[in-house]
């Protein structure tokens, strides 16, 4: 009998989780389907694979990356730790709770390099279009090999969409913006705080990107940072040099006028106004249509597209949990694709989705959001053999993290947490975050080593 074929779109943390899940089954001696992963970039890691490029990539595809220089983990690493590959196993010593991007990229790669999963990935390959044949129950996937500029197609029994949803900007219009004399960009194109040194910076938005880009620019020498919110302010205890104001109404030249009647002149504007779930390679009947939220409609268990459940989406939720959530999803998806986990009827699936949607509607506070996603992870953990971890403890850490940010947005990254995987307590980083201007892996790890060495002498 021919092996079933699984296509995975994207080799970011979600796609890599799917590959790792299949490898784990293979290690147990189980027969796994034939798996092919398509990645339009030349390397894996998704967002964590930093690119200086904006606009388009080398081959003219929309640039995927939204991460920037000086990006440090915005939550404790203990909240995202893989439960089958600990930080201790990777770094061989305790590290701090908030590592910079290159260090987390290294960690993601470490687990994957232990297996031969690179062989399953076709890099520089964009998924151009997908169609589904109801009779044969197969997906036809049209692909572009970007390097040799060749289009071809292949068929799959299952398709896993792991293409991320923080890449296509949501870019609102404000009256007069077309005449604004300075730079106007979306967070997607922000590549570091350096250009905003000594500048008065206006940031629109009040979520993760606004908070982090605002704080990074403050840290790296912006003259002032003004955050303009639509619904709710971030509301933390801002230091001098950062302030929050209600929504921008319009610009006149370089002056911005806000809803509360105040105004200020700016050198640059960064729209931290979120992203669109965008799947230009999917037809209507297969496409997830949702805003960024904790439980997108139409996905049973947050992964199986209810109309066509052989179509699987990973990581489409708004995220408190990240790497470990992608894992819990990928393990359940794998078991379904290997006939080890059976789905209930479409109507039953709909009822289950509705149950989660109703709960999602009731959420008010950030703590409620954490509890909701924690319940979701627990539900998934019950469905596969992904190594159990203390999710309740992780939820507590998320709440502590939220409180730390409220108390002091400039020092929360100096705090340390305890791993639920190994019990190891994180190290205090050698330099306080506000004084640390170098985000390289070498500096992050080397300094710790040299301090250790110093202690030994
Ligand atoms: P992605 O990482 O986006 O990967 C998707 C992959 O799919 C990419 O490699 C892309 O090239 C590929 N792809 C897309 N379309 C196609 C196509 N048509 N054909 C072939 N390949 C395609 N999370 C944290 O845990 N901690 C943080 O500190 C943190 N900071 C963040 C900061 C920023 C600025 C952003 C944008 C996100 C941040 N996140 C953070 C969340 C982050 O998105 C997740 O950690 C994680 O990268 C999501 O993984 P993913 O695989 O689902 O998507
Ligand atoms: P989010 O978390 O989706 O937040 C988007 C923000 O943009 C949010 O504050 C919105 O305000 C605001 N927004 C959206 N449209 C507008 C308009 N038209 N006007 C003003 N404000 C608007 O995206 P982020 O980029 O912050 O975070 C995404 C990921 O990147 C995250 O995982 C991080 O780790 C990094 P609202 O509250 O809806 O009024």
């Amino acid at each position: 009998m021919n092996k079933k074929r699984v296509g995975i779109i994207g080799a970011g943390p979600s796609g890599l989780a799917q590959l790792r899940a299949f490898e784990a089954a293979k290690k147990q001696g189980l027969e796994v389907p034939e798996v092919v992963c398509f990645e339009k970039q030349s390397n894996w890691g998704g967002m964590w694979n930093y690119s200086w490029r904006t606009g388009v990539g080398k081959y003219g595809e929309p640039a995927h990356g939204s991460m920037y220089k000086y990006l440090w983990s915005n939550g404790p690493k203990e909240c995202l730790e893989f439960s089958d590959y600990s930080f201790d196993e990777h770094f061989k010593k305790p590290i701090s709770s908030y590592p910079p991007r290159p260090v987390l990229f290294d960690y993601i790669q470490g687990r994957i390099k232990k297996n031969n999963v690179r062989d399953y990935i076709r890099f520089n390959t964009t998924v151009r279009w997908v169609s589904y044949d109801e009779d044969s129950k197969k997906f036809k996937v049209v692909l572009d090999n970007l390097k040799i500029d060749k289009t071809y197609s292949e068929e799959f029994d299952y398709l896993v969409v792991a293409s991320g949803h923080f890449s296509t900007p949501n870019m609102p219009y404000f009256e007069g913006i077309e005449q604004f004399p300075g730079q106007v960009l979306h967070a997607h194109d922000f590549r570091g705080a350096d250009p905003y040194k000594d500048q008065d910076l206006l940031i629109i938005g009040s979520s993760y990107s606004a908070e982090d880009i605002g704080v990074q620019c403050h840290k790296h020498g912006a003259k002032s940072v003004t955050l303009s919110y639509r619904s709710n302010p971030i509301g933390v205890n801002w230091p001098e040099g950062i302030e929050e104001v209600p929504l921008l109404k319009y610009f006149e030249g370089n002056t911005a006028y806000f809803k509360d009647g105040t105004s200020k002149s700016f050198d640059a504007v960064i729209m931290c106004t979120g992203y669109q779930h965008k799947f230009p390679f999917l037809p209507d009947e297969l496409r997830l249509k949702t805003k960024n939220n904790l439980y997108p409609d139409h996905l049973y268990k947050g992964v199986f597209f209810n109309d066509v459940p052989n179509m699987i989406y990973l990581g489409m939720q708004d995220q408190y949990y990240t790497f470990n959530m992608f894992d819990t999803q990928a393990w359940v998806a794998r078991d379904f694709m290997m006939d080890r986990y059976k789905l209930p009827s479409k109507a039953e699936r709909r009822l289950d989705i509705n149950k989660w949607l109703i709960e999602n509607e009731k959420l008010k506070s950030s703590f409620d959001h954490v509890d909701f996603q924690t319940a979701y992870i627990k539900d998934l953990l019950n469905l596969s053999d992904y190594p159990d971890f203390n999710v309740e403890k992780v939820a507590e850490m998320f709440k502590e993290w939220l409180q730390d940010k409220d108390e002091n947005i400039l020092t929360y990254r100096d705090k340390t947490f305890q791993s639920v995987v190994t019990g190891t307590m994180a190290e205090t980083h050698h330099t306080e975050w506000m004084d640390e201007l170098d985000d390289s892996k070498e500096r992050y790890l080397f300094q710790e080593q040299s301090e250790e060495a110093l202690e030994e002498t």
Side-chain angles (χ1 to χ4, degrees):
M1 206 176 82
N2 279 345
K3 266 191 172 184
K4 288 269 171 73
R5 297 195 85 217
V6 174
I8 302 173
I9 306 174
S14 296
L16 293 175
Q18 193 64 74
L19 289 169
R20 166 79 174 189
F22 280 118
E23 279 302 287
K26 211 166 150 185
K27 274 214 178 106
Q28 289 174 25
L30 299 168
E31 187 167 343
V32 301
E34 185 190 339
V35 181
V36 190
C37 176
F38 303 105
E39 171 52 59
K40 71 178 189 178
Q41 302 186 70
S42 58
N43 199 6
W44 55 24
M47 278 299 156
W48 297 91
N49 167 28
Y50 171 78
S51 170
W52 59 271
R53 290 176 190 275
T54 55
V56 293
K58 186 174 172 189
Y59 300 106
E61 296 296 304
H64 187 80
S66 304
M67 285 201 180
Y68 35 89
K69 276 187 279 177
Y70 315 134
L71 185 143
W72 292 65
S73 177
N74 61 11
K77 74 177 196 309
E78 287 75 14
C79 292
L80 55 74
E81 188 166 15
F82 299 125
S83 76
D84 69 342
Y85 187 70
S86 66
F87 282 98
D88 284 0
E89 183 177 351
H90 184 74
F91 290 103
K92 313 280 187 246
K93 62 176 184 181
I95 60 168
S96 73
S97 281
Y98 292 88
R101 182 204 57 77
V103 173
L104 283 176
F105 183 40
D106 195 63
Y107 171 61
I108 297 166
Q109 296 193 79
R111 177 171 84 150
I112 288 303
K113 280 180 182 164
K114 278 181 59 175
N115 307 112
N116 292 327
V117 304
R118 206 168 178 96
D119 299 345
Y120 301 116
I121 307 172
R122 287 190 212 157
F123 291 103
N124 298 303
T125 303
T126 282
V127 173
R128 187 65 70 218
W129 190 247
V130 175
S131 50
Y132 182 65
D133 185 328
E134 283 286 350
D135 297 327
S136 68
K137 305 259 178 281
K138 286 197 191 291
F139 297 94
K140 182 178 166 196
V141 179
V142 179
L143 300 145
D144 271 357
N145 181 329
L146 301 171
K147 243 181 170 169
I148 59 169
D149 195 13
K150 188 170 165 49
T151 303
Y152 64 105
S153 67
E154 291 195 8
E155 282 192 341
F156 294 94
D157 300 284
Y158 300 99
L159 198 62
V160 179
V161 181
S163 53
H165 61 92
F166 294 129
S167 188
T168 305
N170 168 47
M171 192 76 159
Y173 171 77
F174 294 94
E175 198 187 319
I177 199 164
E178 59 274 50
Q179 301 301 335
F180 182 81
Q183 189 189 33
V184 177
L185 79 163
H186 188 272
H188 171 63
D189 296 320
F190 177 83
R191 287 293 175 270
D194 307 285
Y196 309 101
K197 194 168 185 302
D198 300 326
Q199 293 209 350
D200 290 309
L201 179 63
L202 173 60
I203 290 181
I204 315 287
S206 57
S207 188
Y208 299 103
S209 298
E211 174 194 299
D212 197 54
I213 290 177
V215 168
Q216 300 277 0
C217 289
H218 172 76
K219 175 178 170 182
H220 288 266
K223 191 157 118 201
S224 74
V225 175
T226 303
L227 301 154
S228 165
Y229 63 88
R230 178 172 66 179
S231 312
N232 300 302
I234 298 172
V236 303
N237 212 351
W238 294 110
E240 205 184 323
I242 308 183
E243 64 166 345
E244 270 192 291
V245 298
L247 191 60
L248 167 72
K249 273 178 86 178
Y250 61 94
F251 288 101
E252 258 176 30
N254 69 349
T255 306
Y257 293 84
F258 301 100
K259 261 188 153 172
D260 62 354
T262 60
S263 65
K264 184 173 160 92
S265 298
F266 293 98
D267 297 301
V269 182
I270 305 180
M271 303 269 194
C272 295
T273 41
Y275 294 89
Q276 305 177 37
H277 280 66
K278 190 85 185 163
F279 309 99
F281 49 85
L282 291 177
D284 264 338
E285 64 275 18
L286 298 176
R287 195 162 70 243
L288 176 66
K289 298 177 183 180
T290 181
K291 287 198 297 199
N292 187 24
N293 80 100
L294 290 171
Y295 212 91
D297 196 0
H298 308 293
L299 296 181
Y300 177 65
K301 297 295 170 199
V303 284
F304 303 102
F305 193 58
N306 204 25
D307 283 344
V308 185
N310 289 358
M311 178 94 181
I312 289 160
Y313 285 90
L314 298 182
M316 289 302 150
Q317 295 68 14
D318 196 8
Q319 295 155 12
Y320 283 87
Y321 293 80
T322 52
F323 302 166
N324 43 8
M325 177 170 78
F326 310 148
D327 274 11
T328 54
Q329 295 180 327
W331 257 249
V332 176
R334 174 203 70 188
D335 285 354
F336 168 67
M337 292 185 271
M338 289 176 61
D339 292 328
R340 284 156 38 112
Y341 166 63
K342 298 266 175 264
L343 295 186
S345 70
K346 186 173 177 184
E348 286 169 299
R349 298 198 298 265
R350 177 32 70 192
L351 284 177
D352 189 74
I353 297 171
N354 288 348
K355 192 188 84 189
W356 287 96
L357 294 181
I358 290 165
E359 288 307 309
N360 192 11
E361 279 297 308
K362 292 185 198 158
L363 309 178
K364 292 198 170 67
S365 68
S366 305
F367 279 20
D368 293 345
H369 292 162
V370 169
D371 288 337
F372 179 82
Q373 199 154 63
T374 301
Y376 169 59
I377 303 282
K378 272 177 148 175
D379 190 39
L380 289 179
L381 279 171
N382 286 331
L383 300 178
S384 84
D385 65 356
Y386 184 68
D388 221 346
F389 60 98
N390 189 340
V391 203
E392 292 299 346
K393 179 90 192 300
V394 176
E396 278 171 31
M397 291 195 275
F398 271 124
K399 290 176 185 174
E400 216 177 309
W401 160 73
L402 287 165
Q403 280 167 338
D404 289 346
K405 288 205 296 180
D406 264 355
E407 270 167 33
N408 194 330
I409 195 74
L410 302 183
T411 60
Y412 79 93
R413 285 186 170 102
D414 297 324
K415 303 268 178 172
T416 50
F417 291 83
Q418 186 178 20
S419 164
V420 293
V421 180
T422 57
T424 300
M425 191 65 204
E427 282 280 298
T428 302
H429 188 48
H430 50 66
T431 307
E432 282 183 7
W433 185 75
M434 272 303 280
D435 296 328
E436 180 59 281
L437 300 179
D438 182 343
D439 64 344
S440 68
K441 188 181 102 186
E442 290 69 27
R443 165 146 172 96
Y444 181 82
L445 294 173
F446 172 70
Q447 283 279 324
E448 282 185 351
Q449 275 167 352
S450 65
E451 278 188 4
E452 268 170 23
L454 273 178
E455 271 169 28
E456 277 169 21
T457 54

